[in-house]
Amino acid sequence: MQILKTKSAAKQGKMRETLVKIEIGLQRSHAATHSYREEKAISAIKKNSKYFFSYAKKFAKTNKPIGPLLNRNQEYTASSKEMADLLSDQYGSVFSIPTKQSAYRDVVTDENQPTLENFFINEADIIDAIDKLSCSSASGPDGVPAVLLKKCKSTLSNPLVSLYKCCIEQGITPALLKQSHIVPIFKSGHQGLAVNYRPISLTSHIVKILEKVVRNQISRFLESNKLYNPHQHGFRQGHSCLSQLLEHYDQIIEYLQQGLNVDTIYLDFSKAFNKVDHGILLDKLEIIGIKGKIKDWIASFLTDRYQRVTVNGFLSDPMHVKSGVPQGSVIGPLLFLILISDIDHNIVSHTSSFADDTRLMKSI
């Protein structure tokens, strides 16, 4: 705009030269960053193969366009708004109906058991959580980008501490921070069916920072008190698909060395994260000792949420989230692990799990 407003040809020339230099500088910076990340991934092949494959996978993805989708009249529609509403209805149909009475509410807990009811938040925790945000991650409905938080972390850490302390003390999550935008990603099959699009939830980075702090506190509490299911390998530090596979094969070999045969059943929950019953989850938090203000904040975080599906810049009508943990959230996977932590109670078979995937094994 300044170039167009400037009447002097000399000034226009200088401004254009400045723009060219800035563009060249940005290109060089982008190339240097790309080379650095590529070299880092290559050097990590032997020691941290997970990082390498995560980096390589970014370049293997091809995003297919959405639709046209079949509507309720079995007619194809290419309207972005209508497709957004169709996908929103599809994602809302998988929610479970909350139970009125939980089987866990009458369970008597040990008065001497360790509890986690509150914790102290400081600026160091906030800065550490901000540092772990990815600059390339998309912003949520509030439009606050991760790069802004990372660049201004020293200035924003103090007011964020005040905000988060208020949220924990009052056991509330602001309504704006509980909204999410859903980006549909095509999985496989018929491209005209809404059921074949996986929902990816975009939530606020501001609430993600608090989630990271809360998750760290809960995770330390569970680890120190040995409250994790020992056969759960998902979303845990030092555990992975590989550790679950090694445990599974080790058990098979042990049975075979005893001259026994082995039967294995593979289980998988359908729409596991979307069907989490909030009432049952909150009761289980109480049973393992997560109470008080932290439990109140989690209850507020999970309930009265709304989501909207975005297609080509068009948003669907708001959909009330009746159940589940937000898949784009930081604390969601940990809450799911707590929900299914007793999946192998009173089971005579050997079990091993990775999130919602479980193996049941029994010698014959």
Side-chain angles (χ1 to χ4, degrees), residues 271-283:
K271 308 296 182 183
F273 283 75
N274 293 317
K275 292 182 178 293
V276 171
D277 188 295
H278 297 154
I280 295 175
L281 172 59
L282 294 172
D283 290 340

Side-chain angles (χ1 to χ4, degrees), residues 141-142 171-181 201-204 207 211 296-308 319-321 326:
D142 57 5
I172 60 170
T173 304
L176 179 62
L177 301 183
K178 292 197 288 185
Q179 298 177 19
S180 58
H181 284 172
S201 181
L202 301 180
T203 58
S204 169
V207 78
E211 284 183 75
D296 292 341
W297 179 82
I298 293 174
S300 174
F301 173 78
L302 291 175
T303 55
D304 296 324
R305 299 186 68 91
Y306 286 87
Q307 65 183 33
R308 306 177 77 179
M319 170 70 70
H320 180 232
V321 180

Side-chain angles (χ1 to χ4, degrees), residues 238-300:
H239 295 73
S240 63
C241 286
L242 180 59
S243 64
Q244 185 204 28
L245 189 63
L246 290 173
E247 180 184 312
H248 179 66
Y249 273 92
D250 185 60
Q251 190 64 48
I252 290 177
I253 292 171
E254 182 180 334
Y255 285 142
L256 294 179
Q257 287 176 338
Q258 296 174 15
L260 302 171
N261 290 325
V262 183
D263 272 352
T264 302
I265 299 175
Y266 294 82
L267 307 176
D268 184 22
F269 287 100
S270 175
K271 308 296 182 183
F273 283 75
N274 293 317
K275 292 182 178 293
V276 171
D277 188 295
H278 297 154
I280 295 175
L281 172 59
L282 294 172
D283 290 340
K284 287 193 174 183
L285 289 173
E286 183 87 19
I287 290 170
I288 64 174
I290 299 176
K291 305 177 179 181
K293 295 175 181 178
I294 294 183
K295 180 192 170 186
D296 292 341
W297 179 82
I298 293 174
S300 174

Side-chain angles (χ1 to χ4, degrees), residues 116 119 133 168 173 177-178 201 203-222 228 234-236 273 276 278 281-282 285 288 290 293-303 305 324-340:
L116 178 65
F119 62 90
L133 291 175
I168 296 295
T173 304
L177 301 183
K178 292 197 288 185
S201 181
T203 58
S204 169
H205 288 303
I206 294 176
V207 78
K208 281 182 180 179
I209 296 170
L210 178 55
E211 284 183 75
K212 289 177 186 289
V213 177
V214 174
R215 181 195 60 186
N216 292 341
Q217 293 289 336
I218 295 178
S219 183
R220 281 195 288 266
F221 173 76
L222 297 177
Y228 275 118
F235 308 119
R236 293 181 60 192
F273 283 75
V276 171
H278 297 154
L281 172 59
L282 294 172
L285 289 173
I288 64 174
I290 299 176
K293 295 175 181 178
I294 294 183
K295 180 192 170 186
D296 292 341
W297 179 82
I298 293 174
S300 174
F301 173 78
L302 291 175
T303 55
R305 299 186 68 91
V325 292
Q327 293 195 40
S329 66
V330 175
I331 200 174
L334 178 60
L335 295 177
F336 181 78
L337 294 190
I338 293 172
L339 179 74
I340 65 165

Side-chain angles (χ1 to χ4, degrees), residues 176-190:
L176 179 62
L177 301 183
K178 292 197 288 185
Q179 298 177 19
S180 58
H181 284 172
I182 306 298
V183 178
I185 303 296
F186 178 68
K187 296 184 292 184
S188 60
H190 193 331

Side-chain angles (χ1 to χ4, degrees), residues 4 45 96 165 168 191 219 355:
L4 296 176
I45 290 178
S96 62
K165 283 183 177 179
I168 296 295
Q191 202 165 342
S219 183

